[in-house]
Amino acid sequence: ASSSFDKTVQIWDLGDINETEQSLSKPELPSLILKEAHDEPIWSIDFLPSLTNESLRLCSIDASGKLVIWDL
């Protein structure tokens, strides 16, 4: 995941982490799977585990103090 002062949070799909030697020589570009906008520049993002299942959540906070939480 990445964030920016352009008011967006991006979630990237980096593909299979168990890549072969051949695929390491020709890496593919990551694909964007989610792009969300805040009303103000993003100050911070962080992953946290869900307390009810095995999924992850992504939290972001912007300059106004608005906190957004996504279930991934």
Side-chain angles (χ1 to χ4, degrees):
S2 60
S3 64
S4 175
F5 270 35
D6 72 357
K7 305 175 185 176
T8 62
V9 174
Q10 301 89 23
I11 308 278
W12 301 93
D13 181 359
L14 301 180
D16 187 1
I17 61 171
N18 298 317
E19 297 185 51
T20 65
E21 189 174 314
Q22 180 183 3
S23 63
L24 291 176
S25 64
K26 294 182 180 180
E28 293 184 24
L29 295 175
S31 59
L32 184 64
I33 58 174
L34 172 69
K35 184 172 182 179
E36 294 288 334
H38 275 261
D39 298 327
E40 298 291 330
I42 312 286
W43 280 4
S44 181
I45 59 174
D46 199 2
F47 287 99
L48 71 147
S50 172
L51 297 176
T52 59
N53 57 35
E54 295 181 11
S55 67
L56 284 176
R57 291 182 175 175
L58 178 71
C59 301
S60 59
I61 191 164
D62 67 23
S64 72
K66 178 182 175 182
L67 175 69
V68 178
I69 300 173
W70 290 282
D71 288 318
L72 304 178

Short mmCIF file of all heavy atoms in Angstrom, two decimals:
data_model
loop_
_atom_site.label_atom_id
_atom_site.label_comp_id
_atom_site.label_asym_id
_atom_site.label_seq_id
_atom_site.Cartn_x
_atom_site.Cartn_y
_atom_site.Cartn_z
N ALA A 1 0.85 -1.18 0.00
CA ALA A 1 0.00 0.00 0.00
C ALA A 1 0.89 1.23 0.00
O ALA A 1 2.01 1.21 0.49
CB ALA A 1 -0.91 0.00 1.23
N SER A 2 0.35 2.29 -0.56
CA SER A 2 1.06 3.56 -0.56
C SER A 2 0.03 4.68 -0.40
O SER A 2 -1.15 4.50 -0.67
CB SER A 2 1.88 3.74 -1.84
OG SER A 2 1.06 3.71 -2.97
N SER A 3 0.53 5.82 0.04
CA SER A 3 -0.35 6.98 0.17
C SER A 3 0.44 8.21 -0.25
O SER A 3 1.66 8.16 -0.43
CB SER A 3 -0.84 7.14 1.61
OG SER A 3 0.25 7.39 2.48
N SER A 4 -0.28 9.33 -0.38
CA SER A 4 0.37 10.51 -0.92
C SER A 4 -0.33 11.78 -0.48
O SER A 4 -1.47 11.76 -0.05
CB SER A 4 0.36 10.41 -2.45
OG SER A 4 0.88 11.57 -3.03
N PHE A 5 0.39 12.88 -0.66
CA PHE A 5 -0.23 14.18 -0.42
C PHE A 5 -1.23 14.53 -1.52
O PHE A 5 -1.91 15.54 -1.45
CB PHE A 5 0.84 15.26 -0.31
CG PHE A 5 1.33 15.47 1.10
CD1 PHE A 5 1.43 14.41 1.98
CD2 PHE A 5 1.66 16.72 1.55
CE1 PHE A 5 1.86 14.59 3.27
CE2 PHE A 5 2.10 16.91 2.85
CZ PHE A 5 2.19 15.86 3.71
N ASP A 6 -1.33 13.67 -2.57
CA ASP A 6 -2.35 13.90 -3.60
C ASP A 6 -3.72 13.40 -3.15
O ASP A 6 -4.65 13.33 -3.94
CB ASP A 6 -1.95 13.29 -4.94
CG ASP A 6 -2.02 11.77 -4.96
OD1 ASP A 6 -2.32 11.14 -3.93
OD2 ASP A 6 -1.74 11.20 -6.03
N LYS A 7 -3.83 13.02 -1.87
CA LYS A 7 -5.09 12.64 -1.21
C LYS A 7 -5.57 11.24 -1.58
O LYS A 7 -6.75 10.94 -1.46
CB LYS A 7 -6.20 13.67 -1.50
CG LYS A 7 -5.82 15.09 -1.12
CD LYS A 7 -6.89 16.05 -1.54
CE LYS A 7 -6.45 17.47 -1.27
NZ LYS A 7 -7.40 18.45 -1.74
N THR A 8 -4.67 10.37 -2.02
CA THR A 8 -5.06 9.02 -2.41
C THR A 8 -4.33 7.96 -1.60
O THR A 8 -3.22 8.16 -1.13
CB THR A 8 -4.79 8.75 -3.90
OG1 THR A 8 -3.39 8.86 -4.15
CG2 THR A 8 -5.57 9.69 -4.79
N VAL A 9 -5.00 6.82 -1.45
CA VAL A 9 -4.42 5.60 -0.89
C VAL A 9 -4.50 4.55 -1.99
O VAL A 9 -5.56 4.39 -2.60
CB VAL A 9 -5.21 5.11 0.35
CG1 VAL A 9 -4.69 3.77 0.83
CG2 VAL A 9 -5.15 6.14 1.45
N GLN A 10 -3.40 3.88 -2.27
CA GLN A 10 -3.38 2.86 -3.30
C GLN A 10 -3.01 1.52 -2.68
O GLN A 10 -2.10 1.45 -1.85
CB GLN A 10 -2.35 3.18 -4.40
CG GLN A 10 -2.58 4.49 -5.12
CD GLN A 10 -1.90 5.66 -4.44
OE1 GLN A 10 -0.94 5.51 -3.71
NE2 GLN A 10 -2.41 6.84 -4.70
N ILE A 11 -3.72 0.47 -3.09
CA ILE A 11 -3.38 -0.90 -2.71
C ILE A 11 -2.85 -1.56 -3.97
O ILE A 11 -3.51 -1.54 -5.01
CB ILE A 11 -4.61 -1.68 -2.20
CG1 ILE A 11 -5.33 -0.93 -1.11
CG2 ILE A 11 -4.20 -3.08 -1.78
CD1 ILE A 11 -4.78 -1.07 0.25
N TRP A 12 -1.67 -2.17 -3.89
CA TRP A 12 -1.01 -2.76 -5.05
C TRP A 12 -0.99 -4.27 -4.93
O TRP A 12 -0.73 -4.81 -3.86
CB TRP A 12 0.41 -2.25 -5.15
CG TRP A 12 0.49 -0.78 -5.27
CD1 TRP A 12 0.64 0.13 -4.25
CD2 TRP A 12 0.40 -0.01 -6.46
NE1 TRP A 12 0.64 1.40 -4.75
CE2 TRP A 12 0.50 1.35 -6.10
CE3 TRP A 12 0.23 -0.35 -7.80
CZ2 TRP A 12 0.45 2.36 -7.04
CZ3 TRP A 12 0.19 0.67 -8.73
CH2 TRP A 12 0.30 2.02 -8.35
N ASP A 13 -1.25 -4.95 -6.04
CA ASP A 13 -1.12 -6.40 -6.11
C ASP A 13 0.28 -6.71 -6.64
O ASP A 13 0.58 -6.44 -7.80
CB ASP A 13 -2.18 -6.98 -7.03
CG ASP A 13 -2.11 -8.49 -7.13
OD1 ASP A 13 -1.22 -9.10 -6.50
OD2 ASP A 13 -2.93 -9.06 -7.85
N LEU A 14 1.13 -7.26 -5.78
CA LEU A 14 2.50 -7.55 -6.17
C LEU A 14 2.66 -8.94 -6.75
O LEU A 14 3.76 -9.36 -7.08
CB LEU A 14 3.44 -7.36 -4.97
CG LEU A 14 3.43 -5.97 -4.37
CD1 LEU A 14 4.38 -5.90 -3.19
CD2 LEU A 14 3.79 -4.92 -5.41
N GLY A 15 1.57 -9.67 -6.86
CA GLY A 15 1.63 -11.00 -7.44
C GLY A 15 2.06 -12.04 -6.43
O GLY A 15 2.04 -11.84 -5.22
N ASP A 16 2.51 -13.19 -6.95
CA ASP A 16 2.92 -14.32 -6.14
C ASP A 16 4.27 -14.05 -5.49
O ASP A 16 5.24 -13.73 -6.18
CB ASP A 16 2.99 -15.58 -7.01
CG ASP A 16 3.23 -16.84 -6.21
OD1 ASP A 16 3.34 -16.76 -4.96
OD2 ASP A 16 3.32 -17.91 -6.83
N ILE A 17 4.36 -14.18 -4.18
CA ILE A 17 5.64 -13.94 -3.50
C ILE A 17 6.61 -15.10 -3.69
O ILE A 17 7.79 -14.97 -3.42
CB ILE A 17 5.45 -13.66 -1.99
CG1 ILE A 17 4.80 -14.85 -1.30
CG2 ILE A 17 4.67 -12.40 -1.77
CD1 ILE A 17 4.77 -14.74 0.20
N ASN A 18 6.14 -16.24 -4.18
CA ASN A 18 7.00 -17.41 -4.43
C ASN A 18 7.40 -17.45 -5.90
O ASN A 18 7.12 -18.40 -6.60
CB ASN A 18 6.27 -18.70 -4.04
CG ASN A 18 5.94 -18.72 -2.57
OD1 ASN A 18 6.77 -18.36 -1.74
ND2 ASN A 18 4.73 -19.12 -2.24
N GLU A 19 8.08 -16.39 -6.35
CA GLU A 19 8.45 -16.30 -7.75
C GLU A 19 9.61 -17.22 -8.09
O GLU A 19 10.46 -17.50 -7.26
CB GLU A 19 8.83 -14.86 -8.09
CG GLU A 19 7.68 -13.90 -7.90
CD GLU A 19 8.04 -12.51 -8.34
OE1 GLU A 19 8.53 -12.37 -9.47
OE2 GLU A 19 7.84 -11.60 -7.55
N THR A 20 9.64 -17.65 -9.33
CA THR A 20 10.74 -18.48 -9.80
C THR A 20 11.90 -17.60 -10.24
O THR A 20 11.76 -16.38 -10.41
CB THR A 20 10.30 -19.35 -11.00
OG1 THR A 20 9.98 -18.47 -12.07
CG2 THR A 20 9.10 -20.22 -10.64
N GLU A 21 13.04 -18.21 -10.46
CA GLU A 21 14.23 -17.47 -10.91
C GLU A 21 13.98 -16.78 -12.24
O GLU A 21 14.41 -15.65 -12.46
CB GLU A 21 15.41 -18.43 -11.03
CG GLU A 21 16.72 -17.74 -11.29
CD GLU A 21 17.88 -18.70 -11.26
OE1 GLU A 21 17.95 -19.53 -10.34
OE2 GLU A 21 18.71 -18.61 -12.18
N GLN A 22 13.23 -17.42 -13.13
CA GLN A 22 12.93 -16.84 -14.43
C GLN A 22 12.10 -15.56 -14.29
O GLN A 22 12.37 -14.56 -14.94
CB GLN A 22 12.18 -17.83 -15.31
CG GLN A 22 11.83 -17.28 -16.67
CD GLN A 22 11.02 -18.26 -17.51
OE1 GLN A 22 10.69 -19.34 -17.04
NE2 GLN A 22 10.73 -17.90 -18.73
N SER A 23 11.11 -15.57 -13.43
CA SER A 23 10.26 -14.38 -13.29
C SER A 23 11.00 -13.24 -12.60
O SER A 23 10.66 -12.08 -12.78
CB SER A 23 8.97 -14.71 -12.54
OG SER A 23 9.25 -15.13 -11.23
N LEU A 24 12.03 -13.55 -11.82
CA LEU A 24 12.82 -12.49 -11.19
C LEU A 24 13.64 -11.73 -12.22
O LEU A 24 13.93 -10.56 -12.03
CB LEU A 24 13.72 -13.08 -10.11
CG LEU A 24 13.02 -13.60 -8.87
CD1 LEU A 24 14.03 -14.25 -7.92
CD2 LEU A 24 12.30 -12.49 -8.15
N SER A 25 14.01 -12.38 -13.31
CA SER A 25 14.79 -11.70 -14.33
C SER A 25 13.94 -10.74 -15.16
O SER A 25 14.45 -9.82 -15.77
CB SER A 25 15.48 -12.71 -15.25
OG SER A 25 14.51 -13.46 -15.96
N LYS A 26 12.63 -10.97 -15.21
CA LYS A 26 11.70 -10.10 -15.94
C LYS A 26 10.51 -9.78 -15.04
O LYS A 26 9.41 -10.28 -15.24
CB LYS A 26 11.21 -10.78 -17.21
CG LYS A 26 12.29 -11.01 -18.23
CD LYS A 26 11.71 -11.63 -19.48
CE LYS A 26 12.79 -11.87 -20.51
NZ LYS A 26 12.25 -12.47 -21.72
N PRO A 27 10.74 -8.94 -14.02
CA PRO A 27 9.63 -8.67 -13.09
C PRO A 27 8.50 -7.91 -13.77
O PRO A 27 8.72 -7.08 -14.64
CB PRO A 27 10.29 -7.81 -12.01
CG PRO A 27 11.48 -7.21 -12.67
CD PRO A 27 11.93 -8.19 -13.72
N GLU A 28 7.27 -8.24 -13.38
CA GLU A 28 6.10 -7.53 -13.88
C GLU A 28 5.83 -6.34 -12.97
O GLU A 28 6.13 -6.36 -11.78
CB GLU A 28 4.89 -8.45 -13.89
CG GLU A 28 5.01 -9.59 -14.88
CD GLU A 28 3.74 -10.41 -14.93
OE1 GLU A 28 2.66 -9.89 -14.58
OE2 GLU A 28 3.84 -11.58 -15.32
N LEU A 29 5.24 -5.32 -13.54
CA LEU A 29 4.86 -4.16 -12.74
C LEU A 29 3.68 -4.53 -11.85
O LEU A 29 2.80 -5.29 -12.25
CB LEU A 29 4.49 -2.99 -13.65
CG LEU A 29 5.62 -2.43 -14.50
CD1 LEU A 29 5.07 -1.37 -15.44
CD2 LEU A 29 6.72 -1.85 -13.63
N PRO A 30 3.64 -3.99 -10.63
CA PRO A 30 2.49 -4.28 -9.77
C PRO A 30 1.22 -3.66 -10.35
O PRO A 30 1.28 -2.65 -11.04
CB PRO A 30 2.87 -3.62 -8.44
CG PRO A 30 3.91 -2.62 -8.78
CD PRO A 30 4.60 -3.12 -10.02
N SER A 31 0.10 -4.28 -10.07
CA SER A 31 -1.16 -3.74 -10.55
C SER A 31 -1.92 -3.09 -9.41
O SER A 31 -1.86 -3.53 -8.27
CB SER A 31 -2.01 -4.84 -11.19
OG SER A 31 -2.27 -5.86 -10.26
N LEU A 32 -2.60 -2.03 -9.74
CA LEU A 32 -3.38 -1.27 -8.76
C LEU A 32 -4.72 -1.96 -8.57
O LEU A 32 -5.45 -2.17 -9.53
CB LEU A 32 -3.57 0.16 -9.26
CG LEU A 32 -4.29 1.13 -8.35
CD1 LEU A 32 -3.48 1.36 -7.08
CD2 LEU A 32 -4.51 2.44 -9.07
N ILE A 33 -5.04 -2.34 -7.31
CA ILE A 33 -6.31 -3.01 -7.07
C ILE A 33 -7.31 -2.14 -6.31
O ILE A 33 -8.47 -2.46 -6.25
CB ILE A 33 -6.12 -4.36 -6.34
CG1 ILE A 33 -5.40 -4.20 -5.02
CG2 ILE A 33 -5.39 -5.33 -7.24
CD1 ILE A 33 -5.32 -5.48 -4.20
N LEU A 34 -6.85 -1.04 -5.73
CA LEU A 34 -7.77 -0.13 -5.04
C LEU A 34 -7.13 1.25 -5.01
O LEU A 34 -5.95 1.38 -4.73
CB LEU A 34 -8.02 -0.60 -3.60
CG LEU A 34 -8.81 0.34 -2.70
CD1 LEU A 34 -10.27 0.42 -3.16
CD2 LEU A 34 -8.75 -0.11 -1.26
N LYS A 35 -7.92 2.24 -5.30
CA LYS A 35 -7.44 3.61 -5.17
C LYS A 35 -8.59 4.42 -4.59
O LYS A 35 -9.65 4.50 -5.18
CB LYS A 35 -7.01 4.18 -6.51
CG LYS A 35 -6.43 5.57 -6.40
CD LYS A 35 -5.84 6.02 -7.72
CE LYS A 35 -5.21 7.40 -7.58
NZ LYS A 35 -4.62 7.86 -8.83
N GLU A 36 -8.38 4.95 -3.43
CA GLU A 36 -9.40 5.73 -2.73
C GLU A 36 -8.86 7.12 -2.42
O GLU A 36 -7.67 7.30 -2.21
CB GLU A 36 -9.79 5.05 -1.42
CG GLU A 36 -10.47 3.72 -1.59
CD GLU A 36 -11.89 3.83 -2.11
OE1 GLU A 36 -12.53 4.88 -1.90
OE2 GLU A 36 -12.34 2.88 -2.73
N ALA A 37 -9.75 8.08 -2.37
CA ALA A 37 -9.35 9.45 -2.12
C ALA A 37 -9.88 9.96 -0.79
O ALA A 37 -10.98 9.63 -0.39
CB ALA A 37 -9.84 10.35 -3.24
N HIS A 38 -9.06 10.73 -0.13
CA HIS A 38 -9.45 11.49 1.06
C HIS A 38 -9.72 12.93 0.63
O HIS A 38 -9.47 13.31 -0.51
CB HIS A 38 -8.30 11.49 2.08
CG HIS A 38 -8.26 10.32 2.98
ND1 HIS A 38 -8.76 10.34 4.25
CD2 HIS A 38 -7.74 9.07 2.81
CE1 HIS A 38 -8.55 9.18 4.83
NE2 HIS A 38 -7.94 8.39 3.97
N ASP A 39 -10.20 13.74 1.55
CA ASP A 39 -10.44 15.15 1.27
C ASP A 39 -9.19 16.00 1.52
O ASP A 39 -9.13 17.14 1.07
CB ASP A 39 -11.59 15.68 2.12
CG ASP A 39 -12.89 14.97 1.82
OD1 ASP A 39 -13.10 14.59 0.64
OD2 ASP A 39 -13.71 14.79 2.74
N GLU A 40 -8.24 15.46 2.26
CA GLU A 40 -7.00 16.16 2.62
C GLU A 40 -5.81 15.24 2.33
O GLU A 40 -5.98 14.04 2.17
CB GLU A 40 -7.03 16.53 4.11
CG GLU A 40 -8.14 17.46 4.52
CD GLU A 40 -7.97 18.85 3.98
OE1 GLU A 40 -6.82 19.29 3.78
OE2 GLU A 40 -9.00 19.51 3.74
N PRO A 41 -4.59 15.78 2.31
CA PRO A 41 -3.41 14.93 2.12
C PRO A 41 -3.33 13.84 3.18
O PRO A 41 -3.67 14.06 4.35
CB PRO A 41 -2.24 15.90 2.25
CG PRO A 41 -2.81 17.23 1.87
CD PRO A 41 -4.22 17.21 2.37
N ILE A 42 -2.89 12.65 2.77
CA ILE A 42 -2.77 11.51 3.67
C ILE A 42 -1.49 11.65 4.49
O ILE A 42 -0.43 11.88 3.94
CB ILE A 42 -2.70 10.18 2.88
CG1 ILE A 42 -3.79 10.10 1.83
CG2 ILE A 42 -2.70 8.99 3.84
CD1 ILE A 42 -5.16 9.85 2.31
N TRP A 43 -1.61 11.50 5.79
CA TRP A 43 -0.44 11.57 6.66
C TRP A 43 0.15 10.21 6.95
O TRP A 43 1.35 10.06 7.08
CB TRP A 43 -0.80 12.25 7.97
CG TRP A 43 -0.86 13.74 7.87
CD1 TRP A 43 -0.70 14.50 6.76
CD2 TRP A 43 -1.07 14.64 8.94
NE1 TRP A 43 -0.82 15.82 7.05
CE2 TRP A 43 -1.05 15.94 8.41
CE3 TRP A 43 -1.31 14.48 10.29
CZ2 TRP A 43 -1.23 17.06 9.19
CZ3 TRP A 43 -1.50 15.61 11.06
CH2 TRP A 43 -1.46 16.89 10.51
N SER A 44 -0.71 9.18 7.07
CA SER A 44 -0.18 7.88 7.48
C SER A 44 -1.13 6.77 7.06
O SER A 44 -2.34 6.98 6.98
CB SER A 44 -0.01 7.86 9.01
OG SER A 44 0.52 6.63 9.44
N ILE A 45 -0.55 5.59 6.78
CA ILE A 45 -1.32 4.38 6.56
C ILE A 45 -0.69 3.26 7.37
O ILE A 45 0.50 3.31 7.69
CB ILE A 45 -1.41 3.97 5.07
CG1 ILE A 45 -0.02 3.73 4.48
CG2 ILE A 45 -2.19 4.99 4.28
CD1 ILE A 45 -0.05 3.19 3.07
N ASP A 46 -1.49 2.26 7.73
CA ASP A 46 -0.97 1.13 8.50
C ASP A 46 -1.90 -0.06 8.32
O ASP A 46 -3.11 0.10 8.19
CB ASP A 46 -0.89 1.50 9.99
CG ASP A 46 0.04 0.60 10.78
OD1 ASP A 46 0.66 -0.31 10.18
OD2 ASP A 46 0.13 0.78 11.99
N PHE A 47 -1.31 -1.25 8.30
CA PHE A 47 -2.08 -2.49 8.26
C PHE A 47 -2.31 -2.97 9.68
O PHE A 47 -1.46 -2.79 10.56
CB PHE A 47 -1.31 -3.58 7.50
CG PHE A 47 -1.28 -3.37 6.03
CD1 PHE A 47 -0.17 -2.82 5.42
CD2 PHE A 47 -2.36 -3.74 5.24
CE1 PHE A 47 -0.13 -2.64 4.05
CE2 PHE A 47 -2.33 -3.55 3.87
CZ PHE A 47 -1.22 -3.00 3.27
N LEU A 48 -3.47 -3.58 9.91
CA LEU A 48 -3.72 -4.22 11.19
C LEU A 48 -4.57 -5.46 10.97
O LEU A 48 -5.38 -5.50 10.05
CB LEU A 48 -4.40 -3.27 12.18
CG LEU A 48 -5.84 -2.87 11.92
CD1 LEU A 48 -6.53 -2.67 13.26
CD2 LEU A 48 -5.89 -1.60 11.13
N PRO A 49 -4.39 -6.48 11.80
CA PRO A 49 -5.19 -7.69 11.64
C PRO A 49 -6.62 -7.47 12.12
O PRO A 49 -6.87 -6.68 13.03
CB PRO A 49 -4.47 -8.72 12.53
CG PRO A 49 -3.75 -7.90 13.54
CD PRO A 49 -3.41 -6.61 12.88
N SER A 50 -7.54 -8.17 11.50
CA SER A 50 -8.93 -8.16 11.95
C SER A 50 -9.04 -9.01 13.21
O SER A 50 -8.39 -10.05 13.32
CB SER A 50 -9.84 -8.72 10.86
OG SER A 50 -11.14 -8.87 11.37
N LEU A 51 -9.84 -8.61 14.15
CA LEU A 51 -10.02 -9.37 15.39
C LEU A 51 -11.00 -10.52 15.22
O LEU A 51 -11.03 -11.43 16.04
CB LEU A 51 -10.50 -8.44 16.51
CG LEU A 51 -9.53 -7.33 16.89
CD1 LEU A 51 -10.17 -6.43 17.94
CD2 LEU A 51 -8.21 -7.89 17.40
N THR A 52 -11.80 -10.50 14.16
CA THR A 52 -12.85 -11.51 14.01
C THR A 52 -12.54 -12.59 12.98
O THR A 52 -13.19 -13.61 12.97
CB THR A 52 -14.18 -10.84 13.62
OG1 THR A 52 -13.99 -10.13 12.39
CG2 THR A 52 -14.64 -9.90 14.71
N ASN A 53 -11.57 -12.36 12.10
CA ASN A 53 -11.21 -13.38 11.11
C ASN A 53 -9.75 -13.21 10.71
O ASN A 53 -9.02 -12.45 11.32
CB ASN A 53 -12.15 -13.32 9.89
CG ASN A 53 -12.17 -11.97 9.24
OD1 ASN A 53 -11.16 -11.29 9.18
ND2 ASN A 53 -13.32 -11.57 8.74
N GLU A 54 -9.33 -13.90 9.66
CA GLU A 54 -7.93 -13.87 9.28
C GLU A 54 -7.59 -12.80 8.24
O GLU A 54 -6.50 -12.80 7.69
CB GLU A 54 -7.53 -15.25 8.74
CG GLU A 54 -7.60 -16.33 9.80
CD GLU A 54 -7.20 -17.68 9.26
OE1 GLU A 54 -6.67 -17.78 8.14
OE2 GLU A 54 -7.42 -18.66 9.98
N SER A 55 -8.49 -11.89 7.98
CA SER A 55 -8.23 -10.85 6.99
C SER A 55 -7.42 -9.70 7.60
O SER A 55 -7.22 -9.63 8.80
CB SER A 55 -9.55 -10.32 6.43
OG SER A 55 -10.25 -9.63 7.44
N LEU A 56 -6.98 -8.82 6.73
CA LEU A 56 -6.26 -7.62 7.15
C LEU A 56 -7.14 -6.40 6.95
O LEU A 56 -8.08 -6.42 6.15
CB LEU A 56 -4.99 -7.43 6.32
CG LEU A 56 -3.81 -8.30 6.65
CD1 LEU A 56 -2.69 -8.01 5.65
CD2 LEU A 56 -3.32 -8.05 8.06
N ARG A 57 -6.81 -5.36 7.64
CA ARG A 57 -7.44 -4.06 7.44
C ARG A 57 -6.35 -3.06 7.14
O ARG A 57 -5.22 -3.20 7.60
CB ARG A 57 -8.20 -3.62 8.68
CG ARG A 57 -9.42 -4.45 8.96
CD ARG A 57 -10.13 -3.93 10.17
NE ARG A 57 -11.37 -4.67 10.36
CZ ARG A 57 -12.16 -4.50 11.40
NH1 ARG A 57 -11.86 -3.63 12.32
NH2 ARG A 57 -13.26 -5.20 11.49
N LEU A 58 -6.71 -2.03 6.41
CA LEU A 58 -5.81 -0.92 6.14
C LEU A 58 -6.45 0.33 6.71
O LEU A 58 -7.63 0.60 6.46
CB LEU A 58 -5.56 -0.74 4.64
CG LEU A 58 -4.66 0.43 4.28
CD1 LEU A 58 -3.22 0.13 4.70
CD2 LEU A 58 -4.74 0.74 2.80
N CYS A 59 -5.69 1.07 7.49
CA CYS A 59 -6.16 2.33 8.07
C CYS A 59 -5.39 3.47 7.43
O CYS A 59 -4.19 3.35 7.17
CB CYS A 59 -5.90 2.38 9.56
SG CYS A 59 -6.68 1.06 10.48
N SER A 60 -6.07 4.57 7.18
CA SER A 60 -5.40 5.77 6.70
C SER A 60 -5.97 6.97 7.45
O SER A 60 -7.13 6.99 7.84
CB SER A 60 -5.59 5.93 5.19
OG SER A 60 -6.95 6.02 4.87
N ILE A 61 -5.10 7.96 7.66
CA ILE A 61 -5.54 9.18 8.33
C ILE A 61 -5.01 10.37 7.53
O ILE A 61 -3.88 10.36 7.04
CB ILE A 61 -5.08 9.23 9.79
CG1 ILE A 61 -5.76 10.38 10.54
CG2 ILE A 61 -3.58 9.27 9.91
CD1 ILE A 61 -5.69 10.29 12.04
N ASP A 62 -5.88 11.37 7.37
CA ASP A 62 -5.47 12.53 6.59
C ASP A 62 -5.23 13.75 7.49
O ASP A 62 -5.34 13.67 8.71
CB ASP A 62 -6.48 12.83 5.47
CG ASP A 62 -7.85 13.28 5.96
OD1 ASP A 62 -7.96 13.79 7.09
OD2 ASP A 62 -8.82 13.14 5.19
N ALA A 63 -4.86 14.84 6.86
CA ALA A 63 -4.48 16.06 7.59
C ALA A 63 -5.60 16.62 8.45
O ALA A 63 -5.35 17.31 9.43
CB ALA A 63 -3.98 17.12 6.61
N SER A 64 -6.86 16.32 8.10
CA SER A 64 -7.99 16.82 8.89
C SER A 64 -8.28 15.94 10.11
O SER A 64 -9.10 16.27 10.94
CB SER A 64 -9.26 16.88 8.03
OG SER A 64 -9.75 15.58 7.75
N GLY A 65 -7.60 14.76 10.18
CA GLY A 65 -7.85 13.83 11.27
C GLY A 65 -8.85 12.74 10.91
O GLY A 65 -9.16 11.88 11.73
N LYS A 66 -9.34 12.75 9.68
CA LYS A 66 -10.29 11.73 9.23
C LYS A 66 -9.57 10.39 9.12
O LYS A 66 -8.58 10.24 8.43
CB LYS A 66 -10.88 12.11 7.87
CG LYS A 66 -11.84 11.08 7.31
CD LYS A 66 -12.34 11.52 5.94
CE LYS A 66 -13.21 10.46 5.31
NZ LYS A 66 -13.65 10.88 3.97
N LEU A 67 -10.12 9.38 9.82
CA LEU A 67 -9.58 8.03 9.80
C LEU A 67 -10.49 7.16 8.96
O LEU A 67 -11.70 7.16 9.14
CB LEU A 67 -9.51 7.48 11.22
CG LEU A 67 -9.07 6.03 11.39
CD1 LEU A 67 -7.61 5.88 11.02
CD2 LEU A 67 -9.33 5.56 12.80
N VAL A 68 -9.90 6.42 8.02
CA VAL A 68 -10.66 5.50 7.17
C VAL A 68 -10.07 4.10 7.36
O VAL A 68 -8.85 3.94 7.39
CB VAL A 68 -10.59 5.90 5.68
CG1 VAL A 68 -11.35 4.92 4.81
CG2 VAL A 68 -11.14 7.32 5.49
N ILE A 69 -10.95 3.10 7.53
CA ILE A 69 -10.52 1.72 7.71
C ILE A 69 -11.16 0.87 6.62
O ILE A 69 -12.37 0.92 6.42
CB ILE A 69 -10.93 1.17 9.10
CG1 ILE A 69 -10.30 2.03 10.19
CG2 ILE A 69 -10.52 -0.30 9.24
CD1 ILE A 69 -10.78 1.69 11.59
N TRP A 70 -10.32 0.12 5.88
CA TRP A 70 -10.79 -0.78 4.84
C TRP A 70 -10.52 -2.21 5.24
O TRP A 70 -9.43 -2.55 5.71
CB TRP A 70 -10.07 -0.54 3.52
CG TRP A 70 -10.40 0.74 2.85
CD1 TRP A 70 -11.52 1.02 2.12
CD2 TRP A 70 -9.61 1.92 2.82
NE1 TRP A 70 -11.47 2.30 1.64
CE2 TRP A 70 -10.30 2.88 2.07
CE3 TRP A 70 -8.38 2.27 3.38
CZ2 TRP A 70 -9.82 4.15 1.83
CZ3 TRP A 70 -7.89 3.54 3.16
CH2 TRP A 70 -8.61 4.46 2.40
N ASP A 71 -11.50 -3.10 5.04
CA ASP A 71 -11.29 -4.55 5.18
C ASP A 71 -10.72 -5.02 3.85
O ASP A 71 -11.29 -4.74 2.79
CB ASP A 71 -12.59 -5.28 5.47
CG ASP A 71 -13.08 -5.03 6.88
OD1 ASP A 71 -12.24 -5.04 7.80
OD2 ASP A 71 -14.28 -4.82 7.05
N LEU A 72 -9.62 -5.74 3.90
CA LEU A 72 -8.99 -6.23 2.67
C LEU A 72 -9.26 -7.69 2.46
O LEU A 72 -9.51 -8.42 3.34
CB LEU A 72 -7.47 -5.99 2.70
CG LEU A 72 -7.05 -4.54 2.93
CD1 LEU A 72 -5.56 -4.45 3.01
CD2 LEU A 72 -7.58 -3.64 1.83
#
